[in-house]
Amino acid sequence: MADVEFSMDVYSAPPQLEGEVMVTKDDYCMEPTIELILTKEPRDIECERSTDKGILFCDLKPYLQIGKNFSIVNREDWSYETYKYRSDISEKYNDMYVYGIGMEDNPEVEEYVRKLKFDSHLKKRMVIVLSDRPKKEAVAEKNSSTYGKGPFFLVYTAEGWNHDADEWIGIYTDRKETREAYNRAVAYYEEEAKRSSYRSRQRVVIMEFILEEDRFREVDREELN
């Protein structure tokens, strides 16, 4: 999170500002975000990848900010432990695979921070989800026991990906059913456009979920023939 607590091997001291700097009353506090510091040259950290199957926590830990406020979550049972500084995080997590990184509201912040009327990184904590298995392996095993190996197709109207105005038409595992659902939707919205002069033709989209890669891709209707 952007709390500017990285060590000086990442951040260099900014030059002294000259003259008067005017700011608004809320500018002193940065907005919540995950900040990624990138460089073309490797840092001077003695850390080699422990496995080719995924990133272990011991691989990630040296690159975390020094602090402040971490929640380490075990994906197997969603239990978690909180730590104030990176150095406090238990070594028992070192051999667990990194499943995901995010940010959430921190319920343990001081009262004066909680009462701030605006959102801030001060109210947040970094969440690191760990698993005993690599991410792809965990996803494949979880889904295969319930849904099989796919394919999985989503059909919806595309105002924008996951937009509030999208209308979800259905989720399908059969190419023929997906194609037919798409055709019905296109025909329906073409008729709607004819009835309403102010309404343009609605775009209908097919997205395929790639299980092995844990991602979506847009599919042309012709691909389902």
Side-chain angles (χ1 to χ4, degrees):
M1 293 184 302
D3 58 4
V4 197
E5 292 193 17
F6 288 96
S7 54
M8 294 304 293
D9 61 341
V10 174
Y11 278 113
S12 59
Q16 291 297 320
L17 298 175
E18 297 181 1
E20 186 176 3
V21 179
M22 302 296 294
V23 298
T24 66
K25 63 186 178 72
D26 291 341
D27 278 349
Y28 72 91
C29 194
M30 284 190 292
E31 293 295 322
T33 181
I34 292 178
E35 189 171 36
L36 303 178
I37 308 299
L38 307 178
T39 176
K40 293 182 178 179
E41 301 297 329
R43 290 175 62 187
D44 186 18
I45 293 179
E46 294 183 2
C47 180
E48 296 182 358
R49 288 289 296 276
S50 304
T51 175
D52 293 332
K53 296 180 68 177
I55 301 176
L56 296 180
F57 182 67
C58 63
D59 300 324
L60 172 68
K61 188 175 180 180
Y63 296 95
L64 296 176
Q65 62 191 41
I66 297 172
K68 180 177 180 183
N69 300 321
F70 299 92
S71 177
I72 308 299
V73 180
N74 187 330
R75 187 180 178 277
E76 307 308 317
D77 57 8
W78 297 108
S79 60
Y80 69 93
E81 292 182 342
T82 58
Y83 300 90
K84 191 169 185 179
Y85 296 102
R86 179 184 65 189
S87 59
D88 298 333
I89 299 176
S90 173
E91 293 182 357
K92 69 182 180 181
Y93 297 113
N94 283 353
D95 294 329
M96 296 184 71
Y97 293 95
V98 177
Y99 197 87
I101 300 174
M103 198 163 48
E104 67 182 3
D105 291 333
N106 184 3
E108 301 174 5
V109 297
E110 295 85 348
E111 184 66 20
Y112 82 92
V113 175
R114 189 178 297 111
K115 290 183 178 180
L116 291 175
K117 295 182 179 180
F118 51 88
D119 204 9
S120 159
H121 73 274
L122 298 174
K123 297 181 179 181
K124 307 295 181 178
R125 65 185 177 192
M126 179 176 285
V127 181
I128 302 173
V129 182
L130 305 177
S131 173
D132 291 327
R133 296 167 292 165
K135 183 173 183 178
K136 291 182 180 178
E137 179 182 314
V139 170
E141 182 173 321
K142 177 183 177 182
N143 285 284
S144 62
S145 62
T146 306
Y147 306 108
K149 296 182 178 180
F152 309 103
F153 298 103
L154 283 68
V155 182
Y156 64 99
T157 63
E159 294 291 344
W161 171 244
N162 205 20
H163 190 277
D164 289 343
D166 289 341
E167 296 183 25
W168 292 92
I169 297 169
I171 301 176
Y172 306 90
T173 58
D174 181 82
R175 290 177 179 271
K176 181 174 181 292
E177 292 180 359
T178 305
R179 185 174 65 247
E180 292 173 348
Y182 174 84
N183 292 343
R184 288 195 301 269
V186 169
Y188 170 79
Y189 286 110
E190 285 181 345
E191 287 298 317
E192 285 292 296
K194 293 177 183 178
R195 294 193 188 98
S196 304
S197 58
Y198 64 87
R199 184 168 184 174
S200 60
R201 177 184 173 185
Q202 176 66 61
R203 181 170 178 252
V204 181
V205 166
I206 305 170
M207 297 289 285
E208 180 183 10
F209 177 60
I210 311 299
L211 182 67
E212 294 79 9
E213 302 176 13
D214 192 24
R215 68 179 179 89
F216 290 91
R217 75 175 184 95
E218 186 170 344
V219 177
D220 291 330
R221 188 249 186 242
E222 288 71 22
E223 292 184 51
L224 302 178
N225 290 337

